[in-house]
């Protein structure tokens, strides 16, 4: 079966692994077939406390009228961390977090970008930015072996919210392991002012053990080929920013909150929905040059794409950000929570007309 698949790929001019982004490499452990768990997923990696990126840790909105030049560096780091308590996994990351740091520039800005592949890593890495005109989105220029760096320069010609991701031959394996993030190119006129901004990334993980079984989980290439993940995660961990883990996040009534969302995939579309709220303004596929859609309940976000959505905080409540393919929430880990505090607004929502209500009450996941 593997032989048949290899012949099919060779017939397409691709070879033994899918060099989708126009790159191939002769170093690192990039020759694994679908019949084996990659050796690198079984090796001991540097343990870290967590990979879940803080959704509040993102660059501030741009407040200038002229272009500038940025010097930006990302470091590819292969680390070991918990997907959920008692379950460890070898993540591949940019700067040790999932999703990778948001890159925020203005349309017309010049970017001098360097990718460093950390010493001690097992595999080559690179970066494909969907915000770049150029072969492989820059992935060929940035290919780096462990312990090496490569650089490129580009001008951000078009506005929008775009994914960046690793694009080596086994790119699906690297992305599933955490190598993706967002590059935001603000329009020249900037974005409308909001009170808070949050940054999230969804991806699915394919491990060789049952979800929740304690111990270290390796990567399952065959399971990935079948597109059957046992985890679907928001910011790299099961329920990472829910109250039961590192959350909940916070907001106040009367505020408008902007959410930047990137779907790394590598295979599943997201059905991104704020339970108890609505996307007042939503930019499908991160298309910030277009007029926003209004009052969107659930935004479809394909793998390798983004969305930007704004919510009005009208009443005190707990908002649950989910993929509305709900088995991914109840069983695979896809959830974040925002606690909205402030004065009750019974004319808009009265949860219990005959008794006092509390926004802090715990309820079911849905």
């Amino acid at each position: 079966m593997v032989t048949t698949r290899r012949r099919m790929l060779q017939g397409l001019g691709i070879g033994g692994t899918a060099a989708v982004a126009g790159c191939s490499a002769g170093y690192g452990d990039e020759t694994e077939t679908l019949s084996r768990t990659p050796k690198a997923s079984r090796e001991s990696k540097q343990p870290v406390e967590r990979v879940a990126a803080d959704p509040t840790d993102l660059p501030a909105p741009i407040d200038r009228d002229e272009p500038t030049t940025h010097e930006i560096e990302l470091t590819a780091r292969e680390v070991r961390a918990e997907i959920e308590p008692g379950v460890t996994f070898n993540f591949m990351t940019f700067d040790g977090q999932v999703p990778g740091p948001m890159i925020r520039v203005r349309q017309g800005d010049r970017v001098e970008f360097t990718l460093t592949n950390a010493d001690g890593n097992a595999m080559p890495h690179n970066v494909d930015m969907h915000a770049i005109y150029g072969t492989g989105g820059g992935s060929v220029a940035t290919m780096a072996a462990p312990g090496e760096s490569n650089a490129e320069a580009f001008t951000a010609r078009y506005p929008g919210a775009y994914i960046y991701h690793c694009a080596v031959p086994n790119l699906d394996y690297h992305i599933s392991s955490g190598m993706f993030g967002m590059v935001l190119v603000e329009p020249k006129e900037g974005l409308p002012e909001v009170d808070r901004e949050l940054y999230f990334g969804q991806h699915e993980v394919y491990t060789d053990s049952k979800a929740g079984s304690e111990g270290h989980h390796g990567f399952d290439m065959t399971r990935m080929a079948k597109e059957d993940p046992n985890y679907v995660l928001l910011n790299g961990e099961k329920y990472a920013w829910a109250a039961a883990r590192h959350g909940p996040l916070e907001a106040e009534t009367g505020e408008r909150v902007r959410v930047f969302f990137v779907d790394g995939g590598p295979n599943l579309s997201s059905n991104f929905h704020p339970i108890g709220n609505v996307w007042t303004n939503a930019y499908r596929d991160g298309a910030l040059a277009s007029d926003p859609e209004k009052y969107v309940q659930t935004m479809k976000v394909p793998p390798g794409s983004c969305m930007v959505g704004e919510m009005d905080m009208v009443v005190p409540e707990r908002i649950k950000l989910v993929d509305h393919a709900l088995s991914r929430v109840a069983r695979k880990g896809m959830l974040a929570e925002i606690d909205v505090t402030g004065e009750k607004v019974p004319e808009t929502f009265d949860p219990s007309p005959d008794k006092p209500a509390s926004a802090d009450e715990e309820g079911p996941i849905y």
Side-chain angles (χ1 to χ4, degrees), residues 10-31:
Q10 289 171 342
L12 293 170
I14 293 174
T17 51
V20 182
C23 59
S24 61
Y27 33 69
D29 189 10
E30 282 296 320
T31 57

Side-chain angles (χ1 to χ4, degrees), residues 56 196-198 241 247-252 255 257 313 337-341:
T56 67
R196 297 176 195 260
E197 293 184 329
L198 300 172
W241 291 98
L249 301 160
E250 297 178 350
E252 298 180 5
E255 293 183 337
V257 175
M313 306 292 102
E337 295 176 318
I338 305 171
D339 274 1
V340 183
T341 58

Side-chain angles (χ1 to χ4, degrees), residues 81-85 87-89 91 205 207 231 233 236-238:
E82 287 187 328
I83 289 183
E84 59 177 309
V87 177
T88 60
F89 178 73
F91 289 89
V205 177
T207 79
Y231 288 99
L233 306 174
E237 296 177 22
K238 186 174 182 178

Side-chain angles (χ1 to χ4, degrees), residues 46-238:
Q46 176 187 357
V48 296
E49 184 176 347
R50 80 173 196 218
V51 296
D54 183 345
T56 67
D57 184 13
L58 68 163
I62 293 173
D63 185 20
R64 55 182 163 80
D65 298 325
E66 298 296 327
T68 190
T69 298
H70 306 264
E71 294 183 0
I72 295 173
E73 181 174 341
L74 292 176
T75 301
R77 297 192 184 279
E78 299 169 12
V79 300
R80 177 172 295 204
E82 287 187 328
I83 289 183
E84 59 177 309
V87 177
T88 60
F89 178 73
N90 285 348
F91 289 89
M92 293 184 248
T93 71
F94 293 109
D95 284 12
Q97 66 177 65
V98 182
M102 178 192 283
I103 298 171
R104 191 168 196 162
V105 300
R106 176 184 179 271
Q107 185 181 8
D109 283 357
R110 187 73 171 168
V111 178
E112 297 176 356
F113 175 76
T114 301
L115 175 70
T116 296
N117 192 346
D119 283 327
N121 286 350
M123 288 170 285
H125 298 293
N126 61 17
V127 182
D128 171 357
M129 292 191 190
H130 289 199
I132 291 178
Y133 285 120
T135 301
S139 60
V140 176
T142 56
M143 177 73 79
E148 295 183 354
S149 298
N150 264 322
E152 65 185 2
F154 66 93
T155 299
R157 295 292 186 189
Y158 43 90
Y162 301 96
I163 191 173
Y164 68 82
H165 60 86
C166 189
V168 296
N170 282 329
L171 74 175
D172 48 357
Y173 166 38
H174 288 229
I175 295 169
S176 177
S177 297
M179 297 199 82
F180 69 99
M182 178 183 288
V183 50
L184 175 68
V185 182
E186 289 199 21
K188 292 180 179 179
E189 64 274 16
L191 296 175
E193 185 177 350
V194 295
D195 299 288
R196 297 176 195 260
E197 293 184 329
L198 300 172
Y199 171 45
F200 294 99
Q202 177 175 328
H203 69 126
E204 69 266 12
V205 177
Y206 305 84
T207 79
D208 58 5
S209 301
K210 183 179 179 181
S213 59
E214 290 194 3
H216 183 71
H217 288 211
F219 195 89
D220 191 326
M221 298 285 275
T222 300
R223 188 164 196 151
M224 180 174 64
K226 294 178 180 178
E227 301 185 9
D228 180 26
N230 38 6
Y231 288 99
V232 180
L233 306 174
L234 195 61
N235 286 37
E237 296 177 22
K238 186 174 182 178

